[in-house]
Structures are given as C-alpha cells and as structure tokens.
Amino acid sequence: MDTIHIRGGRRLKGAIPVSGAKNAALPLMTAALLTDEPLRLSNMPRLTDVKTLGKLLAHLGAELSVEPGEHADTTTIRAADIKSTTAPYEIVSQIRASFWVLGPLLARCHQARVSLPGGCAIGARPVDLYIKGLQKMGAEIDLVEGYVVASAPGGLKGAIVRSPVVSVGATHTLLMAATLAEGETVLENAAREPEIGDVARCLVAMGAKISGIGTSTLRIEGVEKLHGATHSVIADRIEAGTYAIAAAMTGGEVTLEGVDPETFDAALSVLRAAGAGVDTEQGAVRIFRNGERLQATDVVTQVFPGFPTDLQAQFMALMTTADGESEITETIFENRFMHVQELARFGADISLHGDKALVRGVPKLKGAPVMASDLRASAALIIAGLAAEGETVINRVYHLDRGFERIEAKLGACGAEIWREKA
Ligand code: UD1
C-alpha cells in the first residue's frame, strides 16, 4: 500500500487550484440515471470515489466517457438503457454515495435493489430517512438480505416530506426521486449544503421544475421526462477549507483559486478568530499568517451554513499547536474522533468527553508514523505532519485518494516537502 511522507516545518507559499467538489460530483453522476440522454459534467475531480461510482453506473447499463483536461476531467454519462436496477454490495460497500442511485432508479424504472451502504466508518449512518421519505412518495420498501428492495409500480407520487434530521444524502435522493414523480413534492427541513444547490441547478438544466433552491424547503413539480444537459461541478469547499487550515498551520501565504468564499464562510470566520489572515475576493481566497502563534478557538460542527463536520478533524489538527485550550464539539456524527489517537502520536494533548474534544495546545508537534482512519481524518494527519518537526509517514492513504486530488502535488507546489512512496 502507498504511503505519504512529509518532512515538516516548511511554510506554504503559492497558489492552489481547487478541484471540483467530490460531494457534488457523486450525486451529479447519479442524476444521469434519470434520463436516456447524455449528461455532460465538466470540472470533475480525479478521485477514486468518482471511479468507483462510475463502475456502478456502468454496471447498471450507463455508458461513460472521460475527456481529460488540463485541470479537470469532463465526464459524459449516457444511461440510454438501464440494464440492471441492482446496485451490488461489492460496489456500494466501498462508497456510501453509491447508495444514492436508489432515488433515480426508483423514479425512472419504478424499482431498485440497492445494497445498504458502506463508506467512511464515522458513525452509525442509518438510512431510515431515505426509506421513510420514499415510502411517503408511495414506494414499497423491504429490507432483504442486506439490500433495500424498493418498488413503485405506478410510479412515485408527490408528497410533503418533513425530515426530522437534516440529511444531505436523503435530500439528494428525495430530490431526484421527486423530479419524475407525479405531482408536487415538498421537502421540508432539506439540507442546504452548496452541493445540493449544485445538483438542483443541474436537474433544472435537465428539465426538472424545482423552486426554493438554496433554502430548507424544496418544491419539486414532477415532469414526465428529463433530458440531457451540460453542467460544471462547483468547487470543493472542503478541499479549499483543508488547504486554508494547512496554510494557517504552517504560516506563509496561500491563495486558493477557483472557489466561492461564501461556501466555506464559517470555516474562514473561525480561522480569522484564531488569528489567521483571510482575504476574500470573487473566486479566490488568500490565507496568511505572520508567524505568531494562533489562539485556541472553539468550534461546533453544524449543518450548512455552520462549520462543516468534514473540516472538524483538520481544524483539530490546527488547534493542537494553538495557544490555550479549544473545545471542539461534533454534533453531526457520533464517532468522528478517530483522528484523536493518531494526532496524539505527534505529541498533541487531546481528551475526549462524549461529543466534545478538549485540545490543549502544545508548542510544537513531532513527526511520527500514523494511520489514516477515514477520508477527512487523513487530511488532518497531513496538516499535522506539515507543521511537525522531523518526518511523518502516513499509512492507508487510499482514504485520502478517495476525496483529495493530487494532494501531495498541490502542497508540494507550495513548498511542502511531501512525497508518495508506492508500495
Ligand atoms: C454527506 C457527505 C459527508 C458529510 C455529511 C454531513 C457526501 C458524499 N457525503 O454524507 O461528506 O460529512 O453529508 O455534512 O456528500 N441520518 C439519519 N438517518 C438517515 C440519514 C442520515 O439519522 O437516513 C443522520 C446521520 O447519521 C448523521 C446526520 O443524519 O448523523 C447527517 O448525515 P447526512 O447528512 O445524511 O450525511 P451523508 O449524506 O451520509
């Protein structure tokens, strides 16, 4: 297995082009199942999760073609005929978002058999909200040998679905299901993450009738058919936030290119509060620190527009060397502190109290061999390694390749001493 090596202590200086968002690219790919015409997606990130989902779509009968570009791929997906409505365990267990084919398959083919999902082990991650929502829209659903078996013989029917919990995946699934349902669907307490808006805009370009985009109430008037479209994937706010934190951690100055600062404003505000410099302009963000120690700052993860859970691990890495004690509260996933024991290997002082981590800043970290436990936790280990004295070796980097495009190349171009060793 590949390992990533870092010799820490270098300031980052330069520009980083931000890739297309994984969390938008994946649901956008599943949206291609809603039509027999081609969906052309540009600004696609080059990630293993994208490849894995592509395999699933091909298994279902879609044809995919990839045009490599200088900075991103353009992927065209054409699901002229759906040959199978079964999403097998072997693929769905690798990547949770592949479970999201449930909505489009049920909407277009009126049936689907989808394995219960896998993905990062960051909590129980149930699928009850998806099931209840689809049942409200007239689907019959059984759980058979680890598969969700769903059917809607006469097609799905519009309904008012109020989710008790804000769920990104359930919102994507129900939104796609509703585009081809008969009549109006209202999704109340829907997720407002920018990636949902991106998917909704693509669906509108495909002929869907959706209002309330960007709010927590989405209204969808079902149509009989959707058509092909061309859509550019929004920039990855989590990747951008990760590099912003890396720049704050090491000092120096980094410009993040091609990103909308409003999509990760909560993270930028916390970085400012901690003492980092942040300048925003249309399409770019500049992060800098003059060498002074950062101040300990508390953070509570929340649904958008709050501080994202997907940046919690990275922010914790930043706080390990801040001045004072910071309290980090994780409200979205109950088991998302697996990076704590790995950060301790660098000499970080962190104690866990239920959904809170108390981080007591230490003057410096020391490089260590560490193990990536999940996608975002891997990025936290890179951030710690960039600031630590000596060499850090990160094992299990396949987690990183699922969601960060060429991370060592992007950091290396800003002066980090970071390299990959192939197994
Ligand atoms: C998506 C993101 C992930 C991010 C998360 C929260 C993608 C590919 N993944 O994951 O990176 O960390 O949003 O921003 O976009 N829940 C239920 N029942 C359900 C569904 C969810 O109780 O049926 C709970 C979950 O356990 C969790 C909370 O709702 O506590 C939020 O999860 P959700 O928003 O669904 O996360 P994902 O869509 O899996």
Side-chain angles (χ1 to χ4, degrees), residues 145-160:
E145 293 168 351
Y147 278 74
V148 172
V149 181
S151 66
L156 292 168
K157 308 268 183 293
I160 297 176

mmCIF file with all atom_site columns, all heavy atoms in Angstrom, residues 145-160:
data_model
loop_
_atom_site.group_PDB
_atom_site.id
_atom_site.type_symbol
_atom_site.label_atom_id
_atom_site.label_alt_id
_atom_site.label_comp_id
_atom_site.label_asym_id
_atom_site.label_entity_id
_atom_site.label_seq_id
_atom_site.pdbx_PDB_ins_code
_atom_site.Cartn_x
_atom_site.Cartn_y
_atom_site.Cartn_z
_atom_site.occupancy
_atom_site.B_iso_or_equiv
_atom_site.pdbx_formal_charge
_atom_site.auth_seq_id
_atom_site.auth_comp_id
_atom_site.auth_asym_id
_atom_site.auth_atom_id
_atom_site.pdbx_PDB_model_num
ATOM 1   N N   . GLU A 1 145 ? -31.917 -9.387  3.006   1.00 0.00 ? 145 GLU A N   1
ATOM 2   C CA  . GLU A 1 145 ? -30.508 -9.836  2.981   1.00 0.00 ? 145 GLU A CA  1
ATOM 3   C C   . GLU A 1 145 ? -29.529 -8.695  2.706   1.00 0.00 ? 145 GLU A C   1
ATOM 4   O O   . GLU A 1 145 ? -28.682 -8.780  1.813   1.00 0.00 ? 145 GLU A O   1
ATOM 5   C CB  . GLU A 1 145 ? -30.338 -10.944 1.935   1.00 0.00 ? 145 GLU A CB  1
ATOM 6   C CG  . GLU A 1 145 ? -31.089 -12.203 2.337   1.00 0.00 ? 145 GLU A CG  1
ATOM 7   C CD  . GLU A 1 145 ? -31.191 -13.220 1.226   1.00 0.00 ? 145 GLU A CD  1
ATOM 8   O OE1 . GLU A 1 145 ? -30.826 -12.891 0.085   1.00 0.00 ? 145 GLU A OE1 1
ATOM 9   O OE2 . GLU A 1 145 ? -31.651 -14.333 1.503   1.00 0.00 ? 145 GLU A OE2 1
ATOM 10  N N   . GLY A 1 146 ? -29.683 -7.630  3.447   1.00 0.00 ? 146 GLY A N   1
ATOM 11  C CA  . GLY A 1 146 ? -28.734 -6.520  3.323   1.00 0.00 ? 146 GLY A CA  1
ATOM 12  C C   . GLY A 1 146 ? -29.016 -5.579  2.168   1.00 0.00 ? 146 GLY A C   1
ATOM 13  O O   . GLY A 1 146 ? -28.244 -4.664  1.891   1.00 0.00 ? 146 GLY A O   1
ATOM 14  N N   . TYR A 1 147 ? -30.106 -5.811  1.461   1.00 0.00 ? 147 TYR A N   1
ATOM 15  C CA  . TYR A 1 147 ? -30.464 -4.939  0.335   1.00 0.00 ? 147 TYR A CA  1
ATOM 16  C C   . TYR A 1 147 ? -31.762 -4.196  0.633   1.00 0.00 ? 147 TYR A C   1
ATOM 17  O O   . TYR A 1 147 ? -32.681 -4.749  1.255   1.00 0.00 ? 147 TYR A O   1
ATOM 18  C CB  . TYR A 1 147 ? -30.678 -5.765  -0.943  1.00 0.00 ? 147 TYR A CB  1
ATOM 19  C CG  . TYR A 1 147 ? -29.378 -6.098  -1.642  1.00 0.00 ? 147 TYR A CG  1
ATOM 20  C CD1 . TYR A 1 147 ? -28.524 -7.060  -1.117  1.00 0.00 ? 147 TYR A CD1 1
ATOM 21  C CD2 . TYR A 1 147 ? -29.007 -5.438  -2.802  1.00 0.00 ? 147 TYR A CD2 1
ATOM 22  C CE1 . TYR A 1 147 ? -27.324 -7.365  -1.748  1.00 0.00 ? 147 TYR A CE1 1
ATOM 23  C CE2 . TYR A 1 147 ? -27.807 -5.733  -3.433  1.00 0.00 ? 147 TYR A CE2 1
ATOM 24  C CZ  . TYR A 1 147 ? -26.970 -6.694  -2.910  1.00 0.00 ? 147 TYR A CZ  1
ATOM 25  O OH  . TYR A 1 147 ? -25.785 -6.982  -3.531  1.00 0.00 ? 147 TYR A OH  1
ATOM 26  N N   . VAL A 1 148 ? -31.837 -2.944  0.179   1.00 0.00 ? 148 VAL A N   1
ATOM 27  C CA  . VAL A 1 148 ? -33.092 -2.203  0.197   1.00 0.00 ? 148 VAL A CA  1
ATOM 28  C C   . VAL A 1 148 ? -33.785 -2.533  -1.121  1.00 0.00 ? 148 VAL A C   1
ATOM 29  O O   . VAL A 1 148 ? -33.252 -2.247  -2.199  1.00 0.00 ? 148 VAL A O   1
ATOM 30  C CB  . VAL A 1 148 ? -32.825 -0.682  0.294   1.00 0.00 ? 148 VAL A CB  1
ATOM 31  C CG1 . VAL A 1 148 ? -34.108 0.111   0.120   1.00 0.00 ? 148 VAL A CG1 1
ATOM 32  C CG2 . VAL A 1 148 ? -32.160 -0.345  1.626   1.00 0.00 ? 148 VAL A CG2 1
ATOM 33  N N   . VAL A 1 149 ? -34.938 -3.179  -1.033  1.00 0.00 ? 149 VAL A N   1
ATOM 34  C CA  . VAL A 1 149 ? -35.665 -3.565  -2.243  1.00 0.00 ? 149 VAL A CA  1
ATOM 35  C C   . VAL A 1 149 ? -36.902 -2.667  -2.334  1.00 0.00 ? 149 VAL A C   1
ATOM 36  O O   . VAL A 1 149 ? -37.782 -2.712  -1.477  1.00 0.00 ? 149 VAL A O   1
ATOM 37  C CB  . VAL A 1 149 ? -36.071 -5.053  -2.188  1.00 0.00 ? 149 VAL A CB  1
ATOM 38  C CG1 . VAL A 1 149 ? -36.814 -5.449  -3.459  1.00 0.00 ? 149 VAL A CG1 1
ATOM 39  C CG2 . VAL A 1 149 ? -34.835 -5.921  -1.998  1.00 0.00 ? 149 VAL A CG2 1
ATOM 40  N N   . ALA A 1 150 ? -36.910 -1.819  -3.361  1.00 0.00 ? 150 ALA A N   1
ATOM 41  C CA  . ALA A 1 150 ? -37.961 -0.799  -3.443  1.00 0.00 ? 150 ALA A CA  1
ATOM 42  C C   . ALA A 1 150 ? -38.717 -0.930  -4.756  1.00 0.00 ? 150 ALA A C   1
ATOM 43  O O   . ALA A 1 150 ? -38.133 -1.237  -5.792  1.00 0.00 ? 150 ALA A O   1
ATOM 44  C CB  . ALA A 1 150 ? -37.322 0.587   -3.359  1.00 0.00 ? 150 ALA A CB  1
ATOM 45  N N   . SER A 1 151 ? -40.027 -0.699  -4.697  1.00 0.00 ? 151 SER A N   1
ATOM 46  C CA  . SER A 1 151 ? -40.782 -0.656  -5.945  1.00 0.00 ? 151 SER A CA  1
ATOM 47  C C   . SER A 1 151 ? -41.909 0.360   -5.835  1.00 0.00 ? 151 SER A C   1
ATOM 48  O O   . SER A 1 151 ? -42.404 0.661   -4.748  1.00 0.00 ? 151 SER A O   1
ATOM 49  C CB  . SER A 1 151 ? -41.347 -2.037  -6.278  1.00 0.00 ? 151 SER A CB  1
ATOM 50  O OG  . SER A 1 151 ? -42.305 -2.394  -5.313  1.00 0.00 ? 151 SER A OG  1
ATOM 51  N N   . ALA A 1 152 ? -42.265 0.916   -6.980  1.00 0.00 ? 152 ALA A N   1
ATOM 52  C CA  . ALA A 1 152 ? -43.380 1.871   -7.045  1.00 0.00 ? 152 ALA A CA  1
ATOM 53  C C   . ALA A 1 152 ? -44.070 1.574   -8.374  1.00 0.00 ? 152 ALA A C   1
ATOM 54  O O   . ALA A 1 152 ? -43.834 2.266   -9.374  1.00 0.00 ? 152 ALA A O   1
ATOM 55  C CB  . ALA A 1 152 ? -42.854 3.298   -7.006  1.00 0.00 ? 152 ALA A CB  1
ATOM 56  N N   . PRO A 1 153 ? -44.906 0.503   -8.423  1.00 0.00 ? 153 PRO A N   1
ATOM 57  C CA  . PRO A 1 153 ? -45.428 0.009   -9.695  1.00 0.00 ? 153 PRO A CA  1
ATOM 58  C C   . PRO A 1 153 ? -46.063 1.082   -10.585 1.00 0.00 ? 153 PRO A C   1
ATOM 59  O O   . PRO A 1 153 ? -45.786 1.149   -11.767 1.00 0.00 ? 153 PRO A O   1
ATOM 60  C CB  . PRO A 1 153 ? -46.452 -1.045  -9.257  1.00 0.00 ? 153 PRO A CB  1
ATOM 61  C CG  . PRO A 1 153 ? -45.952 -1.508  -7.920  1.00 0.00 ? 153 PRO A CG  1
ATOM 62  C CD  . PRO A 1 153 ? -45.315 -0.312  -7.282  1.00 0.00 ? 153 PRO A CD  1
ATOM 63  N N   . GLY A 1 154 ? -46.848 1.976   -10.024 1.00 0.00 ? 154 GLY A N   1
ATOM 64  C CA  . GLY A 1 154 ? -47.449 3.005   -10.879 1.00 0.00 ? 154 GLY A CA  1
ATOM 65  C C   . GLY A 1 154 ? -46.613 4.276   -10.945 1.00 0.00 ? 154 GLY A C   1
ATOM 66  O O   . GLY A 1 154 ? -47.069 5.307   -11.428 1.00 0.00 ? 154 GLY A O   1
ATOM 67  N N   . GLY A 1 155 ? -45.397 4.229   -10.436 1.00 0.00 ? 155 GLY A N   1
ATOM 68  C CA  . GLY A 1 155 ? -44.555 5.433   -10.378 1.00 0.00 ? 155 GLY A CA  1
ATOM 69  C C   . GLY A 1 155 ? -44.697 6.120   -9.019  1.00 0.00 ? 155 GLY A C   1
ATOM 70  O O   . GLY A 1 155 ? -45.671 5.893   -8.293  1.00 0.00 ? 155 GLY A O   1
ATOM 71  N N   . LEU A 1 156 ? -43.712 6.957   -8.694  1.00 0.00 ? 156 LEU A N   1
ATOM 72  C CA  . LEU A 1 156 ? -43.754 7.668   -7.405  1.00 0.00 ? 156 LEU A CA  1
ATOM 73  C C   . LEU A 1 156 ? -44.773 8.803   -7.465  1.00 0.00 ? 156 LEU A C   1
ATOM 74  O O   . LEU A 1 156 ? -45.059 9.343   -8.542  1.00 0.00 ? 156 LEU A O   1
ATOM 75  C CB  . LEU A 1 156 ? -42.368 8.231   -7.089  1.00 0.00 ? 156 LEU A CB  1
ATOM 76  C CG  . LEU A 1 156 ? -41.281 7.190   -6.780  1.00 0.00 ? 156 LEU A CG  1
ATOM 77  C CD1 . LEU A 1 156 ? -39.896 7.835   -6.784  1.00 0.00 ? 156 LEU A CD1 1
ATOM 78  C CD2 . LEU A 1 156 ? -41.551 6.505   -5.432  1.00 0.00 ? 156 LEU A CD2 1
ATOM 79  N N   . LYS A 1 157 ? -45.307 9.154   -6.292  1.00 0.00 ? 157 LYS A N   1
ATOM 80  C CA  . LYS A 1 157 ? -46.311 10.239  -6.214  1.00 0.00 ? 157 LYS A CA  1
ATOM 81  C C   . LYS A 1 157 ? -45.741 11.371  -5.366  1.00 0.00 ? 157 LYS A C   1
ATOM 82  O O   . LYS A 1 157 ? -45.085 11.116  -4.343  1.00 0.00 ? 157 LYS A O   1
ATOM 83  C CB  . LYS A 1 157 ? -47.590 9.728   -5.527  1.00 0.00 ? 157 LYS A CB  1
ATOM 84  C CG  . LYS A 1 157 ? -48.156 8.437   -6.124  1.00 0.00 ? 157 LYS A CG  1
ATOM 85  C CD  . LYS A 1 157 ? -49.188 8.740   -7.198  1.00 0.00 ? 157 LYS A CD  1
ATOM 86  C CE  . LYS A 1 157 ? -49.827 7.501   -7.776  1.00 0.00 ? 157 LYS A CE  1
ATOM 87  N NZ  . LYS A 1 157 ? -48.950 6.624   -8.554  1.00 0.00 ? 157 LYS A NZ  1
ATOM 88  N N   . GLY A 1 158 ? -46.033 12.584  -5.748  1.00 0.00 ? 158 GLY A N   1
ATOM 89  C CA  . GLY A 1 158 ? -45.587 13.738  -4.982  1.00 0.00 ? 158 GLY A CA  1
ATOM 90  C C   . GLY A 1 158 ? -46.124 13.673  -3.553  1.00 0.00 ? 158 GLY A C   1
ATOM 91  O O   . GLY A 1 158 ? -47.193 13.120  -3.303  1.00 0.00 ? 158 GLY A O   1
ATOM 92  N N   . ALA A 1 159 ? -45.374 14.220  -2.603  1.00 0.00 ? 159 ALA A N   1
ATOM 93  C CA  . ALA A 1 159 ? -45.794 14.181  -1.199  1.00 0.00 ? 159 ALA A CA  1
ATOM 94  C C   . ALA A 1 159 ? -45.090 15.295  -0.437  1.00 0.00 ? 159 ALA A C   1
ATOM 95  O O   . ALA A 1 159 ? -44.097 15.852  -0.927  1.00 0.00 ? 159 ALA A O   1
ATOM 96  C CB  . ALA A 1 159 ? -45.416 12.831  -0.594  1.00 0.00 ? 159 ALA A CB  1
ATOM 97  N N   . ILE A 1 160 ? -45.608 15.579  0.758   1.00 0.00 ? 160 ILE A N   1
ATOM 98  C CA  . ILE A 1 160 ? -44.881 16.508  1.632   1.00 0.00 ? 160 ILE A CA  1
ATOM 99  C C   . ILE A 1 160 ? -44.037 15.656  2.570   1.00 0.00 ? 160 ILE A C   1
ATOM 100 O O   . ILE A 1 160 ? -44.560 14.801  3.284   1.00 0.00 ? 160 ILE A O   1
ATOM 101 C CB  . ILE A 1 160 ? -45.870 17.379  2.451   1.00 0.00 ? 160 ILE A CB  1
ATOM 102 C CG1 . ILE A 1 160 ? -46.700 18.229  1.494   1.00 0.00 ? 160 ILE A CG1 1
ATOM 103 C CG2 . ILE A 1 160 ? -45.109 18.261  3.445   1.00 0.00 ? 160 ILE A CG2 1
ATOM 104 C CD1 . ILE A 1 160 ? -47.775 19.044  2.157   1.00 0.00 ? 160 ILE A CD1 1
#
